[in-house]
């Protein structure tokens, strides 16, 4: 089905959650060494790509406060063109459905879908491994969306071992704050010495999120949403925040929790997916 996508089609850019996220250390260049498990969600941004007669890359839907030159979709398209020498152009439109600064990987997912889509539409023929290398120059979370399978990730988040977490239903809460990732990682109180585990030792429910303590201190709304969610079971923050999630065995149970949400909180019910919707796209 993915190969039937073409110019003007809606191309999905799904969210992700981190089922756990540990910080093992920090490299001399300042990047942090991590271990995490990524799981995709069926909640997604939708991207549209329109062919052009020139070689320009244009964004039809700029985000408030984000110059087009800094938008990850534009940067991804230009990085692909530079890597391949492609002189085709594209106009990109993003139907933005994922929160910004939420830890769900929305911008990274948009960049990955841009690389996958334009590699396909422009006929560049780059492998997924090469697209992952380009994606890593744009952000540490971009490669997992190109990789396309739920994975135990190491390094700065770009070394993958495929895993098979349960495709549970989730209630995801969206606190009314945007959490800049850099604010969390540069905080001196962040734990950076969690012991590593082997990928084979991971099991569902393992670990926690080392970034959570810092995010909750800096952004009390994150702590409030986590506290409310924990009445339903184990709750965790995704990525560097602000979004929080809890798993449920059925969609009905997740919807029941959503219905009990206080009026001043927002959230949505979604399903976990081991495979990215573009996992079978021919590159």
């Amino acid at each position: 089905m993915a190969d039937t996508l073409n110019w003007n089609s809606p191309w999905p850019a799904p969210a992700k959650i981190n089922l756990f996220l540990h910080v093992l250390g920090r490299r001399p260049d300042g990047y942090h060494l991590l271990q995490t498990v990524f799981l995709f969600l069926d909640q997604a941004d939708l991207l549209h790509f329109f062919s052009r007669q020139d070689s320009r890359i244009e964004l039809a839907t700029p985000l408030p406060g984000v110059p087009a030159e800094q938008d990850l979709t534009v940067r991804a398209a230009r990085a692909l063109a530079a890597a391949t020498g492609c002189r085709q152009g594209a106009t990109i439109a993003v139907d933005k459905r994922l929160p910004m600064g939420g830890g769900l990987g929305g911008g990274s997912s948009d960049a990955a879908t841009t690389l996958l889509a334009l590699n396909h539409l422009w006929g560049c023929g780059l492998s997924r491994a090469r697209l992952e290398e380009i994606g890593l120059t744009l952000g540490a979370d971009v490669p997992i969306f190109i990789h396309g399978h739920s994975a135990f990730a190491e390094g700065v988040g770009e070394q993958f071992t495929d895993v098979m977490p349960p495709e549970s239903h989730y209630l995801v809460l969206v606190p009314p704050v945007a959490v800049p990732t850099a604010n969390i990682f540069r905080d001196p109180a962040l734990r950076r010495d969690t012991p590593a585990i082997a990928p084979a030792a991971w099991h569902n429910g393992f670990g926690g999120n080392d970034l959570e303590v810092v995010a909750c201190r800096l952004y009390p709304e994150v702590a409030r949403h986590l506290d409310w969610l924990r009445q339903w079971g184990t709750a965790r923050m995704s990525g560097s925040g602000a979004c929080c999630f809890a798993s449920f065995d059925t969609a009905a149970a997740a919807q029941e929790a959503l219905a009990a949400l206080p009026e001043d909180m927002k959230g949505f019910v979604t399903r976990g997916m081991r495979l990215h919707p573009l996992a079978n796209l021919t590159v």
Side-chain angles (χ1 to χ4, degrees):
M1 182 177 178
D3 283 338
T4 66
L5 292 171
N6 214 316
W7 293 104
N8 309 343
S9 298
W11 290 74
K16 60 80 180 169
I17 52 175
N18 300 84
L19 296 183
F20 86 101
L21 176 55
H22 290 173
V23 183
L24 281 54
R26 182 162 46 178
R27 303 190 315 195
D29 62 6
Y31 283 93
H32 286 77
L33 298 171
L34 310 173
Q35 287 190 325
T36 188
V37 163
F38 290 108
L39 178 67
F40 306 115
L41 301 179
D42 66 2
Q43 193 87 350
D45 290 341
L46 295 177
L47 278 64
H48 298 259
F49 301 90
F50 303 96
S51 183
R52 298 176 61 93
Q53 298 303 308
D54 55 30
S55 60
R56 293 175 61 85
I57 306 296
E58 298 283 356
L59 181 62
T61 52
L63 293 169
V66 181
E69 299 297 311
Q70 296 178 18
D71 190 276
L72 276 171
T73 57
V74 173
R75 291 174 56 201
R78 291 179 177 168
L80 180 64
T84 60
C86 179
R87 299 185 60 81
Q88 299 183 60
T91 296
I92 305 169
V94 182
D95 179 3
K96 193 69 183 164
R97 302 180 178 192
L98 302 177
M100 297 178 62
L104 301 182
S108 296
S109 187
D110 293 346
T113 290
T114 298
L115 290 172
L116 287 165
L118 292 181
N119 184 58
H120 182 79
L121 296 170
W122 285 344
C124 297
L126 296 188
S127 67
R128 283 187 184 262
R130 180 67 183 108
L131 291 175
E132 287 178 27
E133 291 175 356
I134 297 171
L136 187 59
T137 68
L138 302 168
D141 280 349
V142 177
I144 185 60
F145 294 102
I146 298 169
H147 179 71
H149 195 290
S150 188
F152 184 103
E154 302 179 89
V156 297
E158 87 293 6
Q159 301 169 22
F160 304 129
T161 301
D162 288 353
V163 292
M164 298 288 285
E167 294 184 321
S168 303
H169 296 271
Y170 292 89
L171 172 58
V172 179
L173 298 190
V174 186
V177 291
V179 177
T181 299
N183 286 5
I184 306 300
F185 276 107
R186 66 173 166 236
D187 193 286
L190 176 65
R191 180 177 181 178
R192 299 178 171 90
D193 62 352
T194 300
I197 67 165
W202 176 80
H203 57 86
N204 194 46
F206 168 83
N209 185 335
D210 286 344
L211 311 186
E212 208 171 274
V213 171
V214 174
C216 287
R217 190 189 81 246
L218 296 178
Y219 302 93
E221 280 294 326
V222 175
R224 186 171 75 94
H225 283 65
L226 274 170
D227 286 344
W228 183 89
L229 198 52
R230 285 183 174 129
Q231 69 182 293
W232 303 94
T234 300
R236 290 183 180 158
M237 186 181 77
S238 183
S240 57
C243 290
C244 314
F245 64 90
S247 67
F248 295 81
D249 291 335
T250 65
Q255 289 289 352
E256 179 183 351
L258 177 63
L261 199 62
E263 289 186 1
D264 64 343
M265 292 185 180
K266 294 183 179 179
F268 59 88
V269 170
T270 183
R271 182 177 58 84
M273 303 186 300
R274 298 184 193 115
L275 284 181
H276 189 290
L278 300 179
N280 295 320
L281 179 74
T282 300
V283 295

